[in-house]
Amino acid sequence: MHKLVLALVSWLLISLPFNSYASTADVVPSLINHWLGYTSILVFVCAYLFVILEEKLHLRKSKPVMLSAGIIWILIAIVYGNQGFSHQVESAIRHNFLEYAELFFFLLVAMTYINAMLERGVFEDLRNRLVAAGFSFKALFWLTGFLAFFISPIADNLTTALIMCAVVLAVGKDRPKFVGLACINIVVAANAGGAFSPFGDITTLMVWQKGIVEFSEFFVLFAPAVVNFVVPAAIMQFALPEGTPKGAKLRADVLKPGGLTIVALFLLTIVTAVSFHSFLHIPPVFGMMLGLGYLKLYAYCLSQKCKKWEIHTDNPPAGNANPYQFDVFKKIAGSEWDTLFFFYGVILSVGGLGFIGYLASISSFMYGELGATQANILVGVLSALIDNIPVMFAVLTMNPEMSHMQWLLVTLTAGVGGSMLSIGSAAGVALMGQARGYYTFFGHLKWTPVIALGYGLSIWVHFLLNSPN
């Protein structure tokens, strides 16, 4: 645990928006050896220890880091204010909050659409079709893997992993070995699929919103991502049980009216966000907010059909709810608020640590002494121990001078490196809860060398295909 904490501190100290301090770094004194610096580090490390122990303490991860953010910036305001730097403090915290606000509203819209599709039965209908098809264990292993790989670039890797896990649990509860292997495969596939799309993972979204990699440029990572998923899967398939799973009882007619229309509106929202960024040079979050307007307008159309259904259905069957009943504000309320506020705490807490002056020394070591390639590969390894979101923040805040190919490399490694451990990604953590007893930390750890092989080969393929001639 102490090694994990040391690695955590090293990287999270530099997890802040880099350009927010570009204008103040030369006029604000570094206080890394001041009591303010030591106290701020202690506050943040304590907060992140509570995050690590979330499952044991049953304390939501957003609470300690939000408290940490407040304490750190209060101390900064007092100490720097007494030295005459109140304006710089205000400017820095406003910029940090703006960075967070863009991420917040972007994710809020995406989460609302996913919640709407879940409520309309879109994903449950997909699951039922797969279960009813009568595939063998090996066929389901590959099918759920490929679906996770191709759905995660749109629906995000966490949601995709949960959907595919529901499929394997529905058909393989009596075969624990199949469920465990299939869950490992789903985690690897979902993380790999999320690495070649801005919508597949928070890390790729941050890179895209920063304008470092354009939307179309992410797709050059497709081949390395395929290798990252296929190589471990090809080896793990030999450990799968033979035969075909028993049929499972499933509810019929789970797809509610408007489900497919909402899928189409979500795709239109993605196109809108990309167009805003590419053609109008407007931050993509504004395109996402326009997309939320699409959903709100369609929710009104469903409400009108809901009223007509109630008028023309005098005696509906007992237990039959109105299929057109749809409240878009409930879908907004159902977003992952703990996750959204966790991002606030991390960005503001580490932003404060960066303002104090810890950024320069660590960034010079990572990209100065180790070099870009070694540092970017290490990013992926650290992502298996630490959540990849603060790790990617670290790279973006350092903003090291490196080639475009190296920026693509770190986008790849931060996205897929977390697959090496079950705790290395949101998908893995979620599946340990959903498939409790089937998919475990040590069950995943057994296959870590195989997953690491896929990680290494994906990097090699990236250099092979995407290195400048």
Side-chain angles (χ1 to χ4, degrees):
M1 175 64 74
H2 70 284
K3 292 182 179 179
L4 173 61
V5 173
L6 287 173
L8 186 67
V9 174
S10 298
W11 275 92
L12 292 180
L13 288 180
I14 50 175
S15 312
L16 67 157
F18 176 82
N19 55 3
S20 62
Y21 304 106
S23 61
T24 60
D26 54 348
V27 294
V28 174
S30 170
L31 296 181
I32 59 175
N33 295 317
H34 189 272
W35 68 263
L36 167 65
Y38 299 140
T39 304
S40 298
I41 289 176
L42 179 63
V43 168
F44 185 64
V45 169
C46 289
Y48 223 86
L49 286 174
F50 279 105
V51 173
I52 294 171
L53 299 172
E54 178 184 13
E55 288 191 11
K56 291 186 178 295
L57 300 176
H58 304 290
L59 177 69
R60 293 294 186 92
K61 61 182 177 290
S62 63
K63 296 178 181 180
V65 291
M66 290 182 71
L67 186 63
S68 166
I71 293 173
I72 289 172
W73 278 103
I74 288 171
L75 294 176
I76 288 173
I78 293 172
V79 174
Y80 279 93
N82 289 337
Q83 296 183 16
F85 296 105
S86 297
H87 175 73
Q88 287 85 347
V89 172
E90 180 184 0
S91 176
I93 197 169
R94 283 182 182 276
H95 192 98
N96 272 275
F97 190 80
L98 178 61
E99 293 277 341
Y100 165 72
E102 287 192 22
L103 180 63
F104 172 87
F105 283 106
F106 194 106
L107 293 174
L108 184 65
V109 176
M111 289 176 177
T112 301
Y113 265 103
I114 296 300
N115 288 339
M117 287 187 278
L118 285 168
E119 189 273 337
R120 292 286 94 184
V122 172
F123 298 125
E124 191 174 356
D125 182 66
L126 173 63
R127 186 199 73 171
N128 288 358
R129 291 175 185 273
L130 291 173
V131 172
F135 294 110
S136 67
F137 285 116
K138 185 170 290 187
L140 276 171
F141 175 84
W142 281 105
L143 188 59
T144 53
F146 273 110
L147 284 172
F149 183 83
F150 285 107
I151 294 175
S152 61
I154 300 173
D156 86 67
N157 51 8
L158 173 59
T159 302
T160 303
L162 291 172
I163 297 163
M164 293 300 107
C165 182
V167 173
V168 300
L169 284 173
V171 300
K173 281 192 173 181
D174 58 336
R175 304 298 289 269
K177 189 174 184 180
F178 163 73
V179 175
L181 288 169
C183 285
I184 297 170
N185 189 45
I186 287 168
V187 169
V188 174
N191 289 337
F196 70 88
S197 165
F199 293 87
D201 192 81
I202 305 299
T203 56
T204 54
L205 174 61
M206 291 189 295
V207 173
W208 181 47
Q209 287 201 130
K210 284 285 187 180
I212 295 172
V213 178
E214 294 300 322
F215 185 83
S216 60
E217 292 173 332
F218 281 94
F219 297 109
V220 303
L221 296 176
F222 176 78
V226 170
V227 170
N228 183 270
F229 153 54
V230 170
V231 169
I235 298 173
M236 287 191 293
Q237 69 171 337
F238 295 107
L240 289 168
E242 298 292 334
T244 302
K246 299 175 182 178
K249 293 182 180 179
L250 301 170
R251 289 195 303 122
D253 302 324
V254 295
L255 185 62
K256 296 180 182 179
L260 296 180
T261 303
I262 291 175
V263 173
L265 290 176
F266 184 46
L267 294 175
L268 179 60
T269 298
I270 292 174
V271 171
T272 302
V274 173
S275 299
F276 270 42
H277 183 74
S278 300
F279 303 119
L280 301 179
H281 307 291
I282 296 174
V285 63
F286 293 102
M288 294 296 287
M289 293 302 290
L290 177 57
L292 182 59
Y294 304 156
L295 183 61
K296 284 175 170 286
L297 185 61
Y298 185 64
Y300 172 78
C301 296
L302 285 177
S303 70
Q304 298 307 301
K305 292 182 179 180
C306 178
K307 293 176 183 178
K308 290 180 181 178
W309 187 89
E310 291 174 350
I311 292 172
H312 292 95
T313 309
D314 297 327
N315 296 303
N320 249 20
N322 189 326
Y324 296 99
Q325 184 71 43
F326 181 82
D327 187 343
V328 68
F329 289 101
K330 286 185 178 180
K331 306 302 166 285
I332 297 173
S335 299
E336 288 287 338
W337 291 99
D338 182 55
T339 299
L340 291 170
F341 288 127
F342 170 73
F343 293 154
Y344 166 83
V346 168
I347 292 173
L348 269 293
S349 292
V350 185
L353 293 174
F355 186 84
I356 292 169
Y358 287 101
L359 176 64
S361 59
I362 299 178
S363 64
S364 64
F365 168 74
M366 289 300 301
Y367 284 90
E369 296 187 25
L370 294 181
T373 299
Q374 287 80 3
N376 290 335
I377 293 174
L378 182 60
V379 164
V381 176
L382 289 173
S383 292
L385 297 171
I386 311 167
D387 189 88
N388 62 355
I389 294 166
V391 170
M392 180 53 81
F393 266 127
V395 179
L396 291 173
T397 62
M398 287 187 289
N399 195 21
E401 291 186 14
M402 56 183 180
S403 67
H404 198 65
M405 187 209 65
Q406 289 288 349
W407 277 110
L408 288 167
L409 174 62
V410 74
T411 301
L412 173 70
T413 57
V416 303
S419 299
M420 287 186 279
L421 293 176
S422 63
I423 60 170
S425 66
V429 173
L431 263 59
M432 281 195 295
Q434 187 180 18
R436 191 179 302 275
Y438 296 92
Y439 173 60
T440 64
F441 174 83
F442 290 105
H444 190 112
L445 186 65
K446 177 183 176 182
W447 293 97
T448 292
V450 172
I451 300 168
L453 174 63
Y455 176 74
L457 288 175
S458 68
I459 294 171
W460 176 74
V461 170
H462 173 61
F463 276 95
L464 183 68
L465 298 179
N466 300 323
S467 293
N469 295 325

